Amino acid sequence: MNSFLAILSGVPVLPIAKWINAFVNWLTGFAGFFNALTAGIGAILDAIQWVLDLFPAWLFIILVLLLTWFILRKTKHWGFMLFEVLGLGLIWNQGYWHDMTQTLTLVLATSLIIIVFGVPLGIWMAKSHTVNVIVRPILSFMQTMPAFVYLIPAVALFGIGMVPGVVASVIFSLPPIVSTTCLGIQQVPADLNEAAVSFGCTPWQKLFKVELPLARTTIISGINQGMMLALSMVVIASMIGTLGLGSLVYFAVGRNDAGAGFAAGIAIVILAIILDRLSEGVSGSNQSHNE
């Protein structure tokens, strides 16, 4: 043991920080690519925000109630609809409505991106053992790394504002949907796959007609987790100029204003409960339809 410790003490300090800084500096050389990516994400954000700003607060609340009734129509949902009216009404009353829509824009944009990239990657992991072995430890690394760390390369590559906030949120919230998609595909019973093949299904037909429908509930559960993780990033992302309810909390901390911080925090909680319940309702309705 002593000899082993002596060997370790003689090993020079690895310049990990210098290696990472050098890698980030190398990435900044691809300014054209990151500028195009910034423009693309910015266009998504602007489109979602434009749609949300079309509706006055009262009409938006009515639309949310109609959506809730449609998704949760097979369950006892009247109490939750009352909560939506009171909760969204409170956000409107406190003057946080536009901040709420900005936060919702960030969450929806992040959710759209992680679905587009996470579901195909999860399917690839389920189909390829090599990809699974390579990607799984990367996902574990992404989940365990402190969220604040993602802000540094996001600012270096995308500047400040909403876009780097979305990028950091995507990195932080991508692993759940990839993992659950992979799990859902792998849990499809082998006899059903064999039956699909025996009936002459091609791999693509088997994927879209057998595996994805059976894995839908698990995939939607991953989307729900990713959405909640994205919402948890709104306060952290406010440190790099991301607007919304998170910036109100961040500024309240700087002013030591407990009242303003808790008021904005309550608005975030209300939004989180509504999004969580609606996404769970989508999963439950799909499960009932499959049964």
Side-chain angles (χ1 to χ4, degrees):
M1 178 63 70
N2 292 333
S3 60
F4 178 72
L5 294 176
I7 294 174
L8 286 180
S9 62
V11 175
V13 178
L14 297 177
I16 296 178
K18 292 183 179 179
W19 292 343
I20 296 176
N21 286 333
F23 178 68
V24 173
N25 291 334
W26 176 75
L27 288 177
T28 56
F30 300 92
F33 170 76
F34 289 108
N35 288 338
L37 197 58
T38 300
I41 297 175
I44 295 174
L45 290 169
D46 291 340
I48 295 175
Q49 188 66 53
W50 180 79
V51 171
L52 295 179
D53 288 342
L54 281 178
F55 307 105
W58 62 269
L59 180 57
F60 186 91
I61 295 174
I62 293 175
L63 293 176
V64 170
L65 293 175
L66 292 175
L67 179 63
T68 302
W69 178 85
F70 177 76
I71 293 176
L72 304 178
R73 61 188 181 278
K74 294 183 179 180
T75 61
K76 296 179 180 179
H77 54 272
W78 302 112
F80 178 65
M81 292 179 68
L82 178 61
F83 169 81
E84 287 179 325
V85 172
L86 296 178
L88 293 176
L90 178 63
I91 294 175
W92 187 13
N93 173 263
Q94 294 297 304
Y96 295 157
W97 190 260
H98 186 62
D99 299 289
M100 186 274 292
T101 60
Q102 289 177 321
T103 298
L104 185 58
T105 296
L106 183 145
V107 174
L108 293 179
T110 301
S111 301
L112 176 63
I113 295 173
I114 64 174
I115 290 172
V116 170
F117 290 97
V119 173
L121 182 57
I123 295 172
W124 194 15
M125 285 179 60
K127 299 293 184 179
S128 173
H129 176 71
T130 303
V131 175
N132 197 326
V133 170
I134 294 173
V135 174
R136 191 164 296 279
I138 297 176
L139 296 178
S140 299
F141 175 84
M142 292 169 62
Q143 283 185 300
T144 53
M145 178 65 69
F148 286 94
V149 177
Y150 295 130
L151 302 182
I152 304 172
V155 171
L157 300 175
F158 298 95
I160 60 174
M162 293 288 283
V163 172
V166 171
V167 172
S169 299
V170 166
I171 297 174
F172 186 63
S173 57
L174 183 63
I177 186 172
V178 177
S179 300
T180 54
T181 300
C182 177
L183 179 64
I185 297 296
Q186 289 176 337
Q187 287 182 337
V188 174
D191 56 343
L192 293 180
N193 282 324
E194 293 172 359
V197 173
S198 66
F199 279 105
C201 288
T202 65
W204 286 104
Q205 288 175 330
K206 184 177 71 171
L207 175 64
F208 285 102
K209 294 184 178 181
V210 178
E211 294 174 326
L212 284 179
L214 292 175
R216 184 185 304 169
T217 301
T218 305
I219 294 173
I220 293 177
S221 175
I223 296 173
N224 172 265
Q225 294 178 39
M227 188 181 295
M228 292 301 101
L229 287 176
L231 191 55
S232 71
M233 279 288 291
V234 297
V235 178
I236 299 174
S238 66
M239 299 175 62
I240 56 175
T242 300
L243 303 176
L245 295 171
S247 63
L248 299 179
V249 177
Y250 180 65
F251 293 148
V253 172
R255 297 191 302 266
N256 195 24
D257 188 346
F262 270 94
I266 291 172
I268 295 175
V269 171
I270 292 171
L271 181 60
I273 293 173
I274 294 174
L275 291 175
D276 180 64
R277 183 69 184 276
L278 290 180
S279 60
E280 284 185 353
V282 171
S283 176
S285 62
N286 282 327
Q287 186 175 10
S288 300
H289 177 72
N290 292 334
E291 292 174 353

